[in-house]
Amino acid sequence: MDRIGIVLVGAGFIADAHSAAIDADPRATLIGVVDADPGRAAAFARKQGGIRHAPDLDSALHWPGVDAVILCTPNDTHAPLGLAVAAAGKHLLVEKPLATTVADAQQLADAFDRAGRVLVAAHTHRFYDYGRAVKQTIDSGTIGRPVLVRLAILGGWIWPDWSAWVGDPVRSGGHALHNGVHLLDLATWWLGGEPASVFARGRKQTAAELRIYDYLEMVVTYADGATAVCEMSRAHRPGSLAQRELLVAGTEGIVEQGWDGESSLVFGEAGTTTLPAAGGNGFAAQLGAWLDAIGGAPPAMPAADAVRAVALGVAVEESIATGQPVAVAA
């Protein structure tokens, strides 16, 4: 089979993880890179062995051998750039969130559906060992029907300074869309239910001058009565902190997982057992699943799930602003 030719758009720090995944998969090849900063595009191209580079997506979409695009640009550019990719008849893997509004996210999903091309949002935590191990436990039926998720991902500030685009609520959509969406999507994926409402609060923990809330507490209620309690931080000290706390309670047992291991402890009526990790590098597994979907397999991250994740993030930001529970847009 011919390898899938990919253009990488955005040569920031996350681009290295995507390019490494491409290099490791024999079904894909990196054709070139696009970045609005010509110098950064050229430097990334040299690092990749002299691949093509350009300052704009339009020209790259016409390069020979291009079948697909990986989009690693600021969140507010996802909708216009994604629509250009759909119009060109290419497949798209776009960094989360799919867009910064529900309307834009749905427009993207509809455009790729009409084009008959695969659209996947890079909710990479679905492909990390820990996320897959929990999903495997739930799907096995060991803990019965899941009714509660408690998930905390705590870390220190990771961006270069307060002027970074992620700190601009217009460009990023806010912290709930940029980072909190990982937890919101995971909890919903694990629970398997339809989110009904969100109640959230945020704090500007690092500095009062921040325009986003870098610490989030989010409670999601689901139509079937399940609940997810999620805590997301990029404000903890020391800045090098990386901590995860995870518990899923079901009608017949509990799965619990610590940061120090990708396997899970399962507490059931038969006693305590260990479920091994589900495998591999998250970015490589994500790329592989996208390539599988391009080849005709069901997408591991359906576009409808990506739209729903945007709806959850938007609802969190609205709840923080109003101090009230907010219904999740259908």
Side-chain angles (χ1 to χ4, degrees), residues 155 157 159 166-170 172-181 200-218 231-236 313-323:
W157 190 260
W159 300 295
V166 295
D168 182 341
V170 174
S172 68
H175 200 203
L177 275 165
H178 188 70
N179 277 133
V181 74
R201 67 175 183 169
R203 290 205 303 267
K204 298 178 180 180
Q205 188 77 14
T206 301
E209 292 81 1
L210 287 176
R211 290 177 290 167
I212 62 168
Y213 301 98
D214 55 353
Y215 174 83
L216 303 170
E217 295 173 354
M218 306 169 285
E231 183 184 12
M232 176 73 218
S233 174
R234 277 298 176 192
H236 273 64
V314 168
V316 166
E317 293 291 335
E318 183 180 345
S319 180
I320 293 171
T322 64

Side-chain angles (χ1 to χ4, degrees), residues 24-272:
D25 198 309
R27 297 173 294 169
T29 185
L30 185 57
I31 299 291
V33 62
V34 172
D35 196 281
D37 181 337
R40 187 161 66 173
F44 191 92
R46 286 194 298 271
K47 185 171 63 175
Q48 291 295 316
I51 60 173
R52 301 187 71 157
H53 59 91
D56 65 277
L57 175 61
D58 288 343
S59 59
L61 289 172
H62 293 92
W63 288 342
V66 173
D67 306 296
V69 171
I70 297 179
L71 192 57
C72 307
T73 56
N75 302 343
D76 62 329
T77 68
H78 292 178
L81 293 178
L83 290 174
V85 174
K90 313 298 183 183
H91 306 284
L92 178 64
L93 173 63
V94 54
E95 266 298 329
K96 54 74 201 154
L98 183 56
T100 56
T101 70
V102 178
D104 281 350
Q106 189 60 59
Q107 186 180 17
L108 276 175
D110 292 342
F112 278 87
D113 184 57
R114 289 192 301 269
R117 294 296 182 265
V118 176
L119 170 66
V120 169
H123 286 269
T124 316
H125 285 243
R126 285 199 184 199
F127 300 92
Y128 288 163
D129 288 353
Y130 87 95
R132 299 170 71 190
V134 172
K135 180 64 170 171
Q136 181 179 337
T137 305
I138 293 169
D139 289 348
S140 73
T142 304
I143 65 168
R145 181 175 68 86
V147 295
L148 172 68
V149 168
R150 292 183 60 88
L151 177 60
I153 297 180
L154 312 176
W157 190 260
I158 61 171
W159 300 295
D161 55 52
W162 296 351
S163 67
W165 65 264
V166 295
D168 182 341
V170 174
R171 302 211 70 192
S172 68
H175 200 203
L177 275 165
H178 188 70
N179 277 133
V181 74
H182 278 311
L183 290 76
L184 297 167
D185 174 65
L186 269 183
T188 302
W189 185 48
W190 291 335
L191 287 169
E194 194 61 36
S197 68
V198 169
F199 193 21
R201 67 175 183 169
R203 290 205 303 267
K204 298 178 180 180
Q205 188 77 14
T206 301
E209 292 81 1
L210 287 176
R211 290 177 290 167
I212 62 168
Y213 301 98
D214 55 353
Y215 174 83
L216 303 170
E217 295 173 354
M218 306 169 285
V219 179
V220 185
T221 56
Y222 293 79
D224 63 359
T227 303
V229 181
C230 301
E231 183 184 12
M232 176 73 218
S233 174
R234 277 298 176 192
H236 273 64
R237 293 292 182 269
S240 58
L241 175 72
Q243 177 68 29
R244 183 178 64 239
E245 300 172 6
L246 186 163
L247 181 143
V248 181
T251 54
E252 299 177 24
I254 293 172
V255 55
E256 186 178 33
Q257 191 183 96
W259 183 264
D260 58 347
E262 299 293 345
S263 59
S264 306
L265 291 176
V266 182
F267 303 92
E269 296 298 336
T272 303

